[in-house]
């Protein structure tokens, strides 16, 4: 287990979060990396921390971790992004940094929590109205969400339905439903 970073009480929250980021970057222990990333994802839940997390480039850290082979790091990273993407400035940063394909890749995770966070993040990244990003509603993504809408997991099924109703147009859903062979067939449903 990672030890609590040693932070001068005078430094405050910014110093503590900086110590977490530094520990993540310097530690060689996979367990310590997981614990630190989980802590950062939890801090991302509180909007009052956004002012500290942005300059520390925690969004970029989360995006980088989406490419890790360690499924636990991916789960915590997408969970952190999901927490941060409720904020407009954070959403814009994720989109500008090319995070959309990385998040879409999380839909193929065998871990249900990773997939749930990825779908929720995609919903957050979808702007209302006509300014949508075409990658969000590309046919393979819509087909994947159609499959998820048939899942035995109530949480995944309901979240997929929200995506299909709120992010996609009825035409996009109909086209995906009626398409022939498609790339989403190879994406396994996450394990319960």
């Amino acid at each position: 287990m990672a030890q609590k970073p040693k932070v001068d009480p005078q430094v405050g929250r910014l110093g503590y979060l900086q110590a977490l980021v530094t520990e993540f970057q310097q530690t060689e222990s996979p367990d310590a990396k997981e614990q630190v990333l989980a802590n950062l994802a939890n801090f991302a839940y509180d909007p009052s921390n956004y002012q500290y997390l942005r300059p520390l480039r925690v969004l970029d850290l989360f995006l980088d971790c989406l490419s890790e082979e360690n499924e636990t790091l991916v789960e915590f990273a997408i969970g952190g992004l999901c927490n941060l993407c409720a904020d407009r400035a954070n959403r814009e940063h994720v989109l500008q940094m090319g995070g959309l394909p990385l998040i879409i890749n999380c839909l193929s995770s065998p871990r249900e929590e990773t997939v749930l966070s990825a779908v929720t993040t995609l919903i957050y990244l979808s702007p209302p109205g006509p300014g949508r990003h075409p990658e969000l509603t590309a046919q393979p993504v819509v087909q994947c969400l159609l499959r998820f809408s048939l899942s035995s997991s109530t949480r995944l099924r309901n979240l997929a339905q929200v995506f299909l109703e709120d992010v996609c147009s009825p035409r996009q859903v109909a086209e995906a439903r009626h398409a022939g062979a498609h790339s989403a067939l190879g994406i396994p449903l996450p394990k319960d």
Side-chain angles (χ1 to χ4, degrees):
M1 286 286 190
Q3 294 181 355
K4 200 174 196 179
K6 294 177 177 75
V7 177
D8 181 342
Q10 302 300 320
V11 175
R13 192 175 302 204
L14 178 62
Y16 182 76
L17 291 170
Q18 176 65 65
L20 284 174
V21 171
T22 301
E23 182 179 352
F24 182 85
Q25 292 168 337
Q26 293 178 350
T27 188
E28 297 295 323
S29 165
D31 289 340
K33 278 190 176 295
E34 290 172 6
Q35 183 178 2
V36 170
L37 202 63
N39 286 331
L40 288 169
N42 286 335
F43 276 105
Y45 186 73
D46 184 352
S48 66
N49 290 323
Y50 295 170
Q51 63 183 320
Y52 307 113
L53 296 172
R54 279 189 203 110
L56 293 173
R57 300 184 51 130
V58 172
L59 282 147
D60 297 329
L61 177 71
F62 288 151
L63 286 169
D64 289 344
C65 287
L66 294 182
S67 300
E68 291 284 335
E69 290 183 24
N70 180 328
E71 288 289 337
T72 301
L73 288 179
V74 173
E75 179 180 332
F76 293 150
I78 191 64
L81 282 172
C82 183
N83 289 337
L84 289 169
C85 281
D87 177 75
R88 182 176 165 210
N90 292 338
R91 283 192 304 268
E92 289 174 6
H93 181 81
V94 167
L95 292 168
Q96 288 171 354
M97 297 305 295
L100 208 43
L102 296 169
I103 296 164
I104 290 170
N105 284 340
C106 290
L107 296 175
S108 63
S109 173
R111 292 188 176 195
E112 184 174 15
E113 290 303 319
T114 300
V115 174
L116 291 168
S117 292
V119 174
T120 304
T121 304
L122 291 174
I123 292 169
Y124 284 148
L125 291 174
S126 174
R132 298 185 182 206
H133 297 275
E135 292 169 283
L136 276 171
T137 54
Q139 197 169 79
V141 174
V142 179
Q143 290 168 334
C144 179
L145 272 291
L146 280 168
R147 284 191 66 232
F148 290 162
S149 72
L150 303 174
S151 172
S152 61
S153 164
T154 304
R155 294 187 310 154
L156 182 56
R157 185 175 60 245
N158 290 342
L159 198 53
Q161 196 59 44
V162 168
F163 180 92
L164 293 169
E165 291 174 7
D166 292 355
V167 177
C168 304
S169 71
R171 188 176 125 246
Q172 290 168 322
V173 173
E175 287 174 0
R177 190 172 274 133
H178 292 74
H182 52 75
S183 61
L185 280 179
I187 298 175
L189 289 172
K191 297 174 185 164
D192 293 335

